[in-house]
Amino acid sequence: MFLTNEQLAFRDEVRRFFRDATPPALRSKVKLGRRLTRDELRAWHIILDDRGWVAPAWDPQWGGTGWDPVRLHIFREELQLAFAPAPLTMNINLVGPVLIAFGSDEQKRKFLPGVRRLDYFFCQGFSEPNAGSDLVALSTRAVREGDHYVINGQKTWTTLAHQANWMFALVRTDPLAKKQQGITYLLIDMATPGITVRPIITIDHDHHVNEVFFDDVRVPVANRIGEENRAWTYAKFLLTNERVGGARTGIPKARIRLAKEVAATLLVDGRPLGEQERFRERVAEIEVELKALEVSYMRVLSSLAANAQGQPDPLSSLLKLRGSELMQRTSELLMDMAGMVGLPLVPGLLHADAEHASLLDAWAGNVAQNYFADRATTIFAGSSEIQHNIIAKEVLGL
Ligand SMILES: Cc1cc2nc3c(=O)[nH]c(=O)nc-3n(C[C@H](O)[C@H](O)[C@H](O)COP(=O)(O)OP(=O)(O)OC[C@H]3O[C@@H](n4cnc5c(N)ncnc54)[C@H](O)[C@@H]3O)c2cc1C
């Protein structure tokens, strides 16, 4: 990307900030793909918020920066390239922008500062056992009783519900209306009686996601965002932000950088892997696609910025699709490079022999876990098949 002198100066400022302000322990966790604790993430949110940079895309009135799309892109990419932790997406990319666009002033004042500083740690209660791709089929029921809604039903795949103290959720308030017209958006305190969180252990042997059950859970009407039965509009706005956020060009770039660093010393058939044609070709292919994604990303960000109402941009589906594929391709590359030493998840297959010990210590130990975790990137925030459908219909007009 060609940057003006001003943009280059901005990039240097951001780069310096991440170099100096990122606690080394957090940086090395991110580099190895390890999960931060809630306290670590909260400490990082506070560092960023003190600098005014935790939610740069938000309206400046609520703690954002007013940066244009190029600066936003530079900022996000520098954060990822520095292996600095990403702020919690549920807070910063999902619930925050919905509050700003559709919440009352009172709700904004109450929630937004704590959303930025992680006093409120939100999880996303959208998917249900029979409503994933077809989200509009959701059936978790909310019945109005005076100043409260009483909720019964179940959410699933709820990322970090076991750490969250709040949830933003879609619930059905009018079961007789057309499906899109009977949904309401609520903020739910996870400490409310009647909520049960059960872990789901995923293919990477980790606990990221959960089932959440609601049994006569009473939520104040004051916690409703926008109008009753109108939440499908707010949900579409949120899903667009989620898809754009899925195009994380900096992470695949950082992984390519890591792959080159390791390949420079990794000997295969007596020669450094980094000098071998097949490896260089594979890296070049990924780098070309990353560059194309980056340019598309800028186009979508510009059109979102020009459209203050945040109407869904179907091109965000293209970003989600390619971004998630490139996440997977870079974790596959690292997995292939690690070979057998990248299999610590398999009991008894930890190959810390002399030849591979330093490699293993440096990065290979987490390669398999990241590889398996990345399988989910083409499922969450709308599966690849769904993005293909949207692109066919909305972009290509088929
Ligand atoms: C790791 C992880 C974290 C998640 N975190 C959250 C979260 O925090 N909050 C939340 O609400 N949800 C979350 N999800 C849920 C996620 O959004 C859903 O898994 C996703 O929308 C797919 O829904 P589903 O699992 O019900 O699959 P289904 O919708 O049942 O789809 C099954 C398969 O059929 C395909 N398919 C479905 N419909 C069509 C169609 N019309 N055309 C072509 N193919 C189709 C799908 O692509 C998929 O391959 C998470 C999921 C994962 C894996």
Side-chain angles (χ1 to χ4, degrees):
M1 191 165 56
F2 295 106
L3 299 177
T4 64
N5 284 340
E6 265 185 3
Q7 288 162 344
L8 284 171
F10 172 76
R11 187 194 66 187
D12 291 345
E13 184 191 351
V14 170
R15 193 170 282 180
R16 260 195 314 278
F17 171 77
F18 286 125
R19 191 193 58 210
D20 299 341
T22 313
L26 300 196
R27 184 194 303 280
S28 76
K29 269 192 152 179
V30 174
K31 190 166 185 180
L32 293 175
R34 293 195 182 134
R35 188 173 297 285
L36 268 53
T37 64
R38 184 174 148 173
D39 287 346
E40 285 171 333
L41 190 56
R42 182 152 185 267
W44 178 236
H45 267 247
I46 290 169
I47 292 172
L48 282 174
D49 194 44
D50 287 346
R51 183 69 180 80
W53 285 357
V54 74
W58 290 12
D59 182 332
Q61 191 191 344
W62 298 108
T65 59
W67 290 339
D68 62 21
V70 176
R71 283 180 185 233
L72 286 173
H73 175 68
I74 292 172
F75 178 82
R76 287 181 184 139
E77 190 159 282
E78 288 300 322
L79 177 139
Q80 292 164 0
L81 285 169
F83 295 110
L88 186 70
T89 194
M90 276 76 84
N91 277 29
I92 302 301
N93 302 331
L94 304 186
V95 75
V98 168
L99 272 162
I100 291 170
F102 306 108
S104 66
D105 278 348
E106 196 184 334
Q107 288 169 333
K108 291 177 200 179
R109 275 194 300 275
K110 174 175 173 190
F111 284 103
L112 287 173
V115 165
R116 292 201 317 266
R117 295 175 83 80
L118 221 59
D119 304 324
Y120 297 108
F121 187 125
F122 271 92
C123 61
Q124 178 185 19
F126 278 23
S127 304
E128 299 182 3
N130 294 313
S133 303
D134 186 20
L135 185 57
V136 81
L138 65 94
S139 64
T140 290
R141 189 77 170 92
V143 177
R144 179 101 181 235
E145 277 185 16
D147 290 344
H148 286 78
Y149 290 104
V150 180
I151 304 179
N152 283 285
Q154 184 196 341
K155 296 291 174 183
T156 193
W157 303 117
T158 321
T159 301
L160 301 183
H162 55 301
Q163 294 187 353
N165 53 10
W166 280 76
M167 170 189 276
F168 56 90
L170 296 178
V171 292
R172 185 153 303 279
T173 31
D174 185 351
L176 301 177
K178 220 177 118 194
K179 275 184 180 173
Q180 285 87 342
Q181 287 166 5
I183 298 173
T184 297
Y185 190 111
L186 295 180
L187 305 184
I188 303 173
D189 183 342
M190 293 293 279
T192 316
I195 297 179
T196 308
V197 177
R198 277 197 213 143
I200 301 174
I201 302 302
T202 38
I203 192 174
D204 56 349
H205 290 206
D206 206 350
H207 177 196
H208 322 258
V209 290
N210 303 272
E211 296 177 292
V212 182
F213 299 87
F214 299 88
D215 187 9
D216 285 335
V217 174
R218 294 177 70 79
V219 176
V221 171
N223 288 3
R224 184 186 74 214
I225 303 295
E227 293 176 51
E228 189 172 276
N229 296 327
R230 297 293 298 276
W232 191 241
T233 309
Y234 320 145
K236 282 192 292 185
F237 168 83
L238 179 146
L239 292 171
T240 297
N241 286 338
E242 193 175 20
R243 284 180 205 137
V244 175
R248 291 165 288 189
T249 53
I251 296 177
K253 270 192 191 172
R255 286 180 178 169
I256 291 286
R257 217 181 248 186
L258 183 63
K260 285 179 177 170
E261 208 180 294
V262 172
T265 54
L266 182 65
L267 296 185
V268 176
D269 297 331
R271 278 174 60 217
L273 181 65
E275 290 174 12
Q276 302 198 17
E277 201 174 321
R278 184 67 198 101
F279 173 81
R280 292 161 71 106
E281 262 176 31
R282 192 162 159 192
V283 166
E285 275 169 17
I286 298 175
E287 283 179 324
V288 168
E289 293 195 26
L290 262 172
K291 183 54 77 184
L293 176 66
E294 202 176 350
V295 173
S296 309
Y297 185 72
M298 297 300 304
R299 281 170 49 203
V300 173
L301 275 185
S302 307
S303 86
L304 277 181
N307 180 350
Q309 292 310 305
Q311 288 303 310
D313 183 336
L315 276 178
S316 64
S317 290
L318 209 133
L319 298 186
K320 162 65 177 55
L321 183 68
R322 301 305 277 156
S324 54
E325 286 171 357
L326 284 164
M327 287 287 287
Q328 290 185 345
R329 280 177 61 189
T330 47
S331 60
E332 280 161 17
L333 174 70
L334 289 168
M335 182 78 169
D336 286 348
M337 288 172 63
M340 292 295 271
V341 293
L343 290 175
L345 284 180
V346 183
L349 254 184
L350 194 54
H351 291 269
D353 56 70
E355 187 192 347
H356 292 122
S358 61
L359 182 64
L360 184 72
D361 291 345
W363 63 280
N366 277 76
V367 160
Q369 194 163 26
N370 293 336
Y371 168 85
F372 286 118
D374 267 7
R375 299 300 92 198
T377 60
T378 46
I379 301 172
F380 59 63
S383 70
S384 291
E385 289 79 7
I386 295 301
Q387 307 310 331
H388 277 125
N389 286 350
I390 295 172
I391 293 163
K393 196 168 154 213
E394 309 282 342
V395 182
L396 303 176
L398 298 174

